Amino acid sequence: MKTSLKYIVVLVMLVSFVSCKKNSRPNYQYMPNMYESVGYETYQESDAFANGVEAQLPAEGTIPRGDFMPYEIDNTNEGYEFAKANLQSPLDSTQVDHAVGGPLYTIYCGICHGVKGDGQGKLVQREKILGVPSYDDAGRAITAGSIYHVIYYGRNTMGSYANQLNENERWQVVAYVEKLKADLEK
């Protein structure tokens, strides 16, 4: 008896839902903006611009809002050498903060390069990656420009950290790497 009562209740509910739909009138729209487009479509034709398309490229030389500044040096070996020779940190001695650069270095760099910059990070110790040189290696003459360039674009098996660190944070990490290099050379 109980199961037949349940079947009857479910059947009554089903019939009541179906009976509410009426094809002679439109149904309710829960999000009308999803169905009715806004005035202009991106690639529609337009007489407002010379090329006849609504979508336009930004004016040459524009910079997006926020902290972004374009990095004009190419991701080539020549660009690396140029950055190594010419790129200098915009931070003066009062703006360098190892309390900021240190934790960022530990998070992003220390896993491979080691906490001291000796090339003995956790991944090297566990033999997941090999050949991470120490900052004080004789054949490794790194400068602030070369460090920044490598953080921005990556080099060899190291990937880019441009999306994880903003410009100021990258320069703070550069200052911290230079400090680690000086500590290792003592």
Side-chain angles (χ1 to χ4, degrees):
M1 184 70 178
K2 286 186 178 182
T3 56
S4 62
L5 183 63
K6 289 180 184 177
Y7 284 127
I8 292 172
V9 169
V10 169
L11 186 63
V12 168
M13 288 177 58
L14 240 161
V15 169
S16 67
F17 283 132
V18 171
S19 65
C20 291
K21 184 173 185 324
K22 203 173 199 182
N23 289 336
S24 63
R25 64 175 182 195
N27 290 327
Y28 293 107
Q29 288 183 358
Y30 293 104
M31 294 184 184
N33 290 340
M34 298 283 288
Y35 301 106
E36 301 165 14
S37 64
V38 184
Y40 295 106
E41 295 294 331
T42 306
Y43 295 106
Q44 81 181 32
E45 293 180 9
S46 171
D47 295 332
F49 300 104
N51 65 356
V53 179
E54 189 69 38
Q56 300 293 305
L57 294 173
E60 184 133 351
T62 58
I63 298 173
R65 295 175 79 184
D67 268 351
F68 178 78
M69 285 300 290
Y71 183 60
E72 303 287 335
I73 301 174
D74 293 331
N75 184 17
T76 60
N77 287 334
E78 294 80 20
Y80 173 77
E81 293 300 328
F82 179 81
K84 186 175 185 177
N86 300 316
L87 190 60
Q88 297 294 320
S89 175
L91 304 178
D92 62 17
S93 61
T94 62
Q95 294 172 318
V96 172
D97 189 1
H98 295 304
V100 172
L104 291 172
Y105 174 86
T106 304
I107 291 168
Y108 296 109
C109 312
I111 191 75
C112 297
H113 293 276
V115 179
K116 297 178 184 175
D118 56 0
Q120 295 300 312
K122 290 288 184 194
L123 292 179
V124 174
Q125 291 172 358
R126 295 179 183 165
E127 296 180 357
K128 302 295 181 188
I129 58 172
L130 300 173
V132 177
S134 175
Y135 292 140
D136 69 337
D137 282 352
R140 190 160 191 217
I142 58 175
T143 64
S146 67
I147 298 167
Y148 185 87
H149 190 80
V150 170
I151 291 172
Y152 194 88
Y153 286 121
R155 189 159 178 92
N156 299 330
T157 58
M158 178 180 156
S160 170
Y161 286 90
N163 289 334
Q164 287 86 357
L165 301 168
N166 64 33
E167 183 181 11
N168 184 45
E169 290 171 338
R170 286 191 292 266
W171 283 115
Q172 294 292 346
V173 170
V174 167
Y176 192 76
V177 168
E178 288 180 319
K179 174 191 172 298
L180 290 177
K181 182 181 180 198
D183 290 347
L184 286 170
E185 290 174 344
K186 286 183 184 177

